[in-house]
Amino acid sequence: MSILTFIGGVHPYDGKDISKDGPVCEYKPKGEVAIALSQHIGAPAVPVVNPGDRVLAGQLIAQASGFVSANVHSSVSGTVKAIEPRLLVNGSKSPCIIIDNDSEFREAEIKKPKPLEELTREEIVALVKEAGIVGMGGAGFPTHVKLSPKNPEDIEYVIVNGAECEPYLTSDYRKLMEDPQSLIAGLKVMLKLFERAKGYIAIEDNKPDAIAKIKELVKGEERIEVKKLYTKYPQGAERMLIYATTGRKINSSMLPADAGCVVDNVDTVFAIKCAVLDGRPLTKRVITVTGDAIVRPQNYLVRIGTNQSELIEASGGYINPPEKIISGGPMMGMALSTTDVPITKTSSALLCYQKDELLSLTETSCINCGRCVSVCPGRVLPSKLATFSNRGDKDSFIRYNGMECCECGCCSFICPAKRNLTQAIKTMRKEVLADRKKK
């Protein structure tokens, strides 16, 4: 089996040994849960419950308000206390349905779907939409939209992103090891939608046990292959993954479907299996709680809306008060000022570090070494783009292909001058996108 990769990328310390060997533990929230109405790209969901209503786990509590939107279900049983703004990990306040958890976790009645072979394409997509599934790797794009390309007959590859290239994260790895059968079942559901497609399960080669296990399970499956990827960040980024596994290139103006591909991460494919084969909506996900400030790093199966501070407590608390806490991975995650925020469908990890290494770094002038260019997977010029951003020069930023940046952070990581390259580029990209939206 050849090892596949892309041009560029970096090799940060991966930190996966801290949490990768323990089995996933289910964690049930103790207090109230705050379930956000906007946990996805697109229009927020609209509540279908009111304060005072009794709800069950798995019950629809907010309905998608458009094609690019997603249903929201209760993760617990209890009483709706309020519908009010709460702080989320991105620092903004968003309307949430607050449920007073009764700790009984009684479930709404589940209607078992028809066997997969009897389901039509439209019925499968409807089940995914009904379940409120979104991209759980961080993007949050509604999955029923992704599974509904204009020309489904043009899809040639369905790729399961099992790279998990962000340092410290091990939730996907644990799912690959503990329940690979469900992953394969979810992939088969997706392949039923695209009859010409081949299924690829792409895994980095720092997970040889997962590769061996799944390779054995798909032996004899004509439409499914395991693709071994070279361990390098950002191997799991959509553009890099498509190039590594198929040799096809996409840019910022294209969707994976334009290259004949559909890509979903491990947790999303599990959720598709649960929705289409078991009739269960998306109410839980696996979260990695790790870092050198955590007493007992662990992967947890967590109900959506659970307060993140509860997971810190479940992990034994802090060895020492952390100087930095990140939601997500250290390369693309968001620093938190508080852990008093709820888990959403796109939450993947909670990282706690005793020391914030960035505090000791001093930004200096660019020395024109070219390292940022050599590691950039988007093949742009990060140093120039950051300078254009700092000057407010949008025209030059666009002319030098600034919109092709995937905001992976490789340039900032490798820069000997410790310039905030990614942050500057990200700021300008937001401004350009905002301008285009106004037009």
Side-chain angles (χ1 to χ4, degrees):
M1 181 188 292
S2 60
I3 302 177
L4 308 171
T5 192
F6 62 96
I7 299 170
V10 293
H11 298 84
Y13 166 66
D14 72 7
K16 294 183 185 289
D17 288 346
I18 300 173
S19 62
K20 78 180 185 67
D21 293 327
V24 174
C25 297
E26 182 169 9
Y27 178 81
K28 294 181 178 180
K30 297 175 182 176
E32 67 178 25
V33 297
I35 302 178
L37 297 178
S38 184
Q39 305 181 51
H40 50 267
I41 291 173
V46 177
V48 295
V49 294
N50 296 298
D53 289 352
R54 293 282 299 166
V55 295
L56 299 173
Q59 178 180 329
L60 181 71
I61 57 174
Q63 199 160 30
S65 60
F67 181 58
V68 184
S69 186
N71 288 343
V72 176
H73 301 78
S74 178
S75 59
V76 298
S77 58
T79 304
V80 177
K81 287 175 58 178
I83 301 174
E84 62 185 27
R86 289 289 179 92
L87 186 69
L88 301 184
V89 296
N90 61 5
S92 67
K93 284 195 171 183
S94 176
C96 294
I97 297 176
I98 314 302
I99 301 174
D100 190 6
N101 171 24
D102 63 14
S103 299
E104 295 180 9
F105 304 101
R106 288 175 294 168
E107 296 190 349
E109 184 179 354
I110 294 171
K111 185 179 179 182
K112 185 81 171 178
K114 293 187 293 187
L116 179 60
E117 56 271 17
E118 297 179 18
L119 290 171
T120 65
R121 186 179 195 283
E122 292 72 23
E123 287 173 328
I124 291 173
V125 173
L127 286 168
V128 171
K129 180 178 181 180
E130 194 176 301
I133 301 172
V134 304
M136 297 166 72
F141 193 76
T143 302
H144 69 275
V145 180
K146 186 179 285 190
L147 298 180
S148 306
K150 288 182 180 179
N151 301 304
E153 64 278 3
D154 292 341
I155 300 301
E156 298 179 63
Y157 301 101
V158 176
I159 305 169
V160 180
N161 184 355
E164 198 165 42
C165 62
E166 272 272 16
Y168 290 90
L169 276 60
T170 56
S171 56
D172 285 351
Y173 168 75
R174 288 313 314 170
K175 297 202 84 166
L176 291 173
M177 292 301 295
E178 294 179 31
D179 192 10
Q181 293 87 351
S182 289
L183 178 80
I184 295 165
L187 177 54
K188 287 181 177 179
V189 170
M190 298 173 72
L191 289 173
K192 184 170 171 59
L193 298 173
F194 308 107
E195 295 182 355
R196 294 183 59 237
K198 185 98 174 178
Y200 288 162
I201 302 174
I203 308 172
E204 282 192 325
D205 62 356
N206 62 350
K207 308 171 185 68
D209 44 359
I211 291 172
K213 177 175 281 195
I214 296 175
K215 198 176 176 188
E216 181 64 28
L217 289 172
V218 300
K219 191 180 292 183
E221 296 281 353
E222 292 184 1
R223 297 181 66 194
I224 300 177
E225 284 183 35
V226 175
K227 292 289 186 179
K228 182 162 66 171
L229 305 172
Y230 180 58
T231 300
K232 180 170 60 172
Y233 177 84
Q235 189 72 256
E238 202 167 56
R239 292 189 222 171
M240 283 77 250
L241 187 67
I242 289 172
Y243 178 78
T245 54
T246 71
R248 298 181 178 184
K249 297 179 181 179
I250 62 171
N251 58 40
S252 63
S253 64
M254 297 170 65
L255 295 172
D258 296 327
C261 300
V262 170
V263 182
D264 271 314
N265 92 312
V266 166
D267 235 349
T268 309
V269 178
F270 271 91
I272 291 172
K273 179 265 179 186
C274 291
V276 177
L277 302 186
D278 305 330
R280 293 187 175 276
L282 175 55
T283 60
K284 305 174 185 177
R285 68 157 300 143
V286 180
I287 302 288
T288 305
V289 181
T290 187
D292 64 5
I294 294 292
V295 173
R296 292 189 303 274
Q298 180 70 53
N299 281 290
Y300 295 97
L301 179 63
V302 185
R303 292 170 188 255
I304 305 300
T306 301
N307 193 287
Q308 297 207 25
S309 60
E310 288 191 37
L311 298 182
I312 302 293
E313 183 182 341
S315 299
Y318 300 127
I319 296 172
N320 289 305
E323 285 188 357
K324 190 157 205 172
I325 301 175
I326 298 174
S327 175
M331 298 297 286
M332 294 187 73
M334 286 176 278
L336 298 179
S337 60
T338 176
T339 56
D340 185 18
V341 289
I343 296 292
T344 65
K345 296 175 183 180
T346 58
S347 301
S348 59
L350 189 59
L351 310 185
C352 304
Y353 300 105
Q354 294 189 48
K355 297 292 181 183
D356 184 354
E357 295 181 5
L358 295 181
L359 291 177
S360 62
L361 302 180
T362 302
E363 183 175 350
T364 58
S365 299
C366 175
I367 60 172
N368 295 313
C369 66
R371 292 184 192 179
C372 61
V373 179
S374 68
V375 301
C376 177
R379 315 316 296 154
V380 295
L381 304 173
S383 57
K384 270 189 176 295
L385 294 175
T387 298
F388 294 145
S389 175
N390 293 333
R391 291 176 181 170
D393 187 351
K394 290 181 186 176
D395 292 338
S396 295
F397 183 87
I398 294 169
R399 190 167 64 251
Y400 277 78
N401 297 316
M403 300 311 289
E404 295 307 313
C405 170
C406 64
E407 301 177 8
C408 65
C410 288
C411 53
S412 293
F413 174 82
I414 206 70
C415 179
K418 307 306 176 188
R419 296 179 69 201
N420 294 319
L421 300 170
T422 306
Q423 294 88 334
I425 296 169
K426 187 174 183 178
T427 299
M428 181 58 82
R429 289 185 79 248
K430 283 184 177 179
E431 291 181 14
V432 173
L433 289 172
D435 289 345
R436 289 177 179 178
K437 192 173 182 180
K438 288 177 186 176
K439 292 177 182 178

